[in-house]
């Protein structure tokens, strides 16, 4: 995930002479722990987020120009031609280095509620889940499905994903001698909607 310039939860969209720190987290290596689909709303300060495996290319061109690219190398990419695609690409330009000015720091929202709000995310599970489409955010698709069909049906969807991963992403005894892929437990940091599975098991919590 990459943020817009961000200070005290306020943000703006500029990546040329940004008035606050731009944060980026890249942790997309392979693992036997599967990531949950996005279920929480993307914050206004979030410039881009992805739920895919891949890597980052960070090029420091000179004293003022930095080029950030996120590359997807996800075996769940659909279509397969998207494997190796650059899914986030931005130049960050800063002509004057030094402490940021508090007076000039962002005071608003990069994408205010109710305003123009383009899709700024990729969730690799969306095609397999059969929810929404290119014009709908994953978290909106999940919320709509759960409202219509209930949490038990959502858990069945997650079970389907786990079964698919076990068959298509290595099979039994592939992940360091262990037979089953698992859901990553992210309840503690708030990035999950509660985790449909208990840690290290397939026991449902609903």
């Amino acid at each position: 995930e990459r943020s817009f310039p961000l200070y005290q939860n306020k943000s703006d969209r500029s990546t040329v002479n940004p008035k606050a720190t731009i944060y980026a987290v890249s942790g997309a290596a392979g693992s036997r722990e599967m990531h949950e689909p996005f279920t929480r709303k993307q914050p206004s300060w979030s410039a881009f987020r992805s739920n895919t495996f891949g890597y980052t290319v960070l090029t420091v061109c000179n004293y003022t120009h930095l080029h950030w690219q996120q590359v997807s190398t996800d075996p769940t990419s659909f279509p397969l031609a998207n494997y190796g695609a650059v899914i986030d690409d931005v130049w960050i330009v800063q002509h004057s280095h030094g402490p940021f000015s508090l007076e000039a720091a962002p005071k608003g929202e990069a994408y205010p509620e109710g305003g123009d709000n383009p899709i700024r995310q990729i969730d690799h599970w969306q095609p397999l889940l059969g929810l929404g489409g290119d014009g709908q955010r994953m978290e909106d698709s999940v919320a709509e499905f759960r409202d219509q069909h209930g949490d038990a049906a959502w858990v069945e969807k997650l079970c389907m994903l786990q079964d698919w991963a076990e068959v298509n992403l290595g099979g039994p005894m592939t992940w360091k001698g262990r037979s089953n892929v698992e859901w990553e437990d992210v309840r503690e940091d708030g990035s999950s909607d509660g985790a449909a599975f208990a840690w290290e098991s397939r026991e449902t919590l609903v």
Side-chain angles (χ1 to χ4, degrees):
E1 185 167 27
R2 172 177 58 85
S3 79
F4 288 114
L6 179 65
Y7 179 71
Q8 294 188 344
N9 213 35
K10 300 298 182 181
S11 58
D12 61 38
R13 303 183 204 176
S14 176
T15 59
V16 177
N17 294 322
K19 302 299 189 295
T21 304
I22 294 174
Y23 298 89
V25 177
S26 179
S31 172
R32 66 191 293 267
E33 297 170 4
M34 300 203 311
H35 307 302
E36 280 190 299
F38 288 134
T39 57
R40 293 204 170 191
K41 183 178 178 181
Q42 186 173 12
S44 172
W45 52 257
S46 175
F48 180 82
R49 67 178 183 177
S50 68
N51 183 16
T52 63
F53 298 116
Y55 62 90
T56 299
V57 177
L58 180 63
T59 306
V60 180
C61 298
N62 52 41
Y63 186 69
T64 58
H65 286 62
L66 183 152
H67 191 200
W68 166 279
Q69 293 178 305
Q70 184 68 24
V71 181
S72 173
T73 55
D74 198 314
T76 66
S77 293
F78 297 97
L80 189 59
N82 289 342
Y83 188 93
V86 175
I87 57 175
D88 186 30
D89 192 330
V90 66
W91 284 90
I92 300 173
V93 180
Q94 184 62 274
H95 292 104
S96 178
H97 298 283
F100 291 111
S101 166
L102 292 179
E103 289 75 19
K107 303 292 194 300
E109 302 290 334
Y111 282 101
E113 189 73 28
D116 174 42
N117 194 0
I119 292 177
R120 314 183 307 280
Q121 64 180 23
I122 293 177
D123 191 315
H124 62 169
W125 294 128
Q126 195 156 12
L128 273 176
L129 286 168
L131 299 179
D134 292 338
Q136 189 173 28
R137 293 170 178 79
M138 186 62 174
E139 63 269 26
D140 295 335
S141 300
V142 171
E144 182 178 285
F145 178 87
R146 295 174 80 165
D147 285 345
Q148 293 178 358
H149 304 284
D151 286 342
W154 173 239
V155 168
E156 287 302 312
K157 282 277 192 183
L158 294 181
C159 286
M160 179 273 291
L161 287 184
Q162 190 170 15
D163 291 341
W164 183 93
E166 288 184 358
V167 171
N168 293 279
L169 301 182
M173 304 306 293
T174 297
W175 297 89
K176 297 183 179 180
R178 302 174 71 176
S179 61
N180 296 314
V181 293
E182 300 163 349
W183 288 108
E184 179 184 23
D185 187 359
V186 291
R187 287 168 291 174
E188 291 296 327
D189 65 12
S191 61
S192 166
D193 68 337
F197 295 93
W199 177 241
E200 294 281 326
S201 81
R202 193 166 174 157
E203 175 189 351
T204 61
L205 300 179
V206 297

